Structures are given as structure tokens and as C-alpha cells.
Amino acid sequence: MSDIEKKVLKYEAYLNDKLRADLRRLQEERDTIEEDIAEHQQTKEMIEKVLLDGEKKSFRTKMDLGEGFFCQAVVPSTERIMIKIGLGFHVEMTLPEAKAFLDKQISYLKLRSKEVSERVAGVSALIRLVMQALEELQ
């Protein structure tokens, strides 16, 4: 086996084992962040609607159970809301507190999404560079 063939195999292994795996992982991370942003924005919109309508004693809604399943739910009071803050913890907040928290969380997640997107672009460029090198070697 010649030196060129060894280099080609080495670059192909690096491309397939490292770069493409990194790209998939980063894309999945970005997708997860984007889903979190959408959930936070949906919750924020619900809070804004309740604040705009004025706090009611109770109301009926549909609750997302996951995997596309919903059920009817009754919210007994709109004075306070439980917000998931991460690591499995939830905090009870007033609606204005929850809205302020969600604003900060959305800003942070958008920044993270931008950072991960830049990393995706960097890995994609590196993949193109390695593929171009492989073409030149063959």
C-alpha cells in the first residue's frame, strides 16, 4: 500500500468517524435548543394572554401529555405558575416573574443556538475541506 493510499484511508476514517459524527451531534444539539426556545415562547405567549385578559379565578385548557396526546385540564388559579428551571427543578412564580424569567431564558437559548450554529458551520467547512483533499489525493 502506497503512502497516498494510506493518507486517503486516514482522511476517510477521520471524515467518517470524527467529523460527520460531530456534525450530527451538533445538529441534534441545535435542534434541541430550538425546541426549547419554541416551548419557552409558547409558555410566554400563554402568560401574556392571561395577563392581558386579567387574572381569572380559573379556566379550561388542553394539556400536552407528550407524543401528540392532549387532555382537558382545569387551571384552578392563575395567580402563580410552576416553571421548569432545569435539572428537574420547578419553581413557583407569579406571572410577571415567570415572564421575566422566560425572557432571560429565551435570550440565553438564542445565544446558545447561534454559538452551536457557528460550530455546525465550522465542522461543515472542515468536512468540505477534507473531501476536497481526498479528491486531490485520488
Side-chain angles (χ1 to χ4, degrees), residues 3 11 17 19 27 51 72 82 99 102 123 128:
D3 286 342
Y11 279 127
D17 297 340
L19 293 179
Q27 288 171 332
L51 286 171
Q72 291 287 331
M82 296 294 286
K99 185 178 177 297
L102 290 171
V123 171
R128 285 191 299 276

Side-chain angles (χ1 to χ4, degrees), residues 63-77:
M63 181 73 178
D64 185 2
L65 299 174
E67 301 296 325
F69 291 98
F70 292 86
C71 70
Q72 291 287 331
V74 175
V75 177
S77 173

Side-chain angles (χ1 to χ4, degrees), residues 37-123:
I37 290 171
E39 283 181 22
H40 283 67
Q41 287 177 329
Q42 183 181 13
T43 303
K44 181 183 163 194
E45 290 169 7
M46 185 272 307
I47 289 171
E48 288 172 343
K49 184 175 185 256
V50 170
L51 286 171
L52 187 64
D53 291 344
E55 293 184 17
K56 300 177 183 177
K57 297 267 186 211
S58 67
F59 68 93
R60 297 172 77 73
T61 187
K62 286 187 178 179
M63 181 73 178
D64 185 2
L65 299 174
E67 301 296 325
F69 291 98
F70 292 86
C71 70
Q72 291 287 331
V74 175
V75 177
S77 173
T78 60
E79 291 178 14
R80 299 180 95 46
I81 187 171
M82 296 294 286
I83 297 289
K84 181 173 142 183
I85 61 170
L87 298 173
F89 290 99
H90 293 76
V91 174
E92 187 175 345
M93 299 179 185
T94 64
L95 295 178
E97 289 172 337
K99 185 178 177 297
F101 172 80
L102 290 171
D103 285 335
K104 290 178 186 176
Q105 195 74 3
I106 290 169
S107 296
Y108 169 74
L109 289 171
K110 284 182 178 179
L111 181 64
R112 288 258 337 269
S113 178
K114 182 181 175 188
E115 290 170 355
V116 173
S117 292
E118 289 170 357
R119 289 172 53 201
V120 165
V123 171

Side-chain angles (χ1 to χ4, degrees), residues 3-57:
D3 286 342
I4 292 177
E5 289 173 338
K6 288 179 183 177
K7 283 186 178 186
V8 167
L9 290 175
K10 182 179 172 184
Y11 279 127
E12 285 177 346
Y14 179 69
L15 177 68
N16 292 323
D17 297 340
K18 175 78 171 113
L19 293 179
R20 290 201 172 137
D22 285 351
L23 182 63
R24 269 190 304 277
R25 183 185 52 79
L26 287 170
Q27 288 171 332
E28 288 170 2
E29 182 179 346
R30 183 184 57 196
D31 293 345
T32 301
I33 292 170
E34 292 297 326
E35 289 171 7
D36 288 346
I37 290 171
E39 283 181 22
H40 283 67
Q41 287 177 329
Q42 183 181 13
T43 303
K44 181 183 163 194
E45 290 169 7
M46 185 272 307
I47 289 171
E48 288 172 343
K49 184 175 185 256
V50 170
L51 286 171
L52 187 64
D53 291 344
E55 293 184 17
K56 300 177 183 177
K57 297 267 186 211

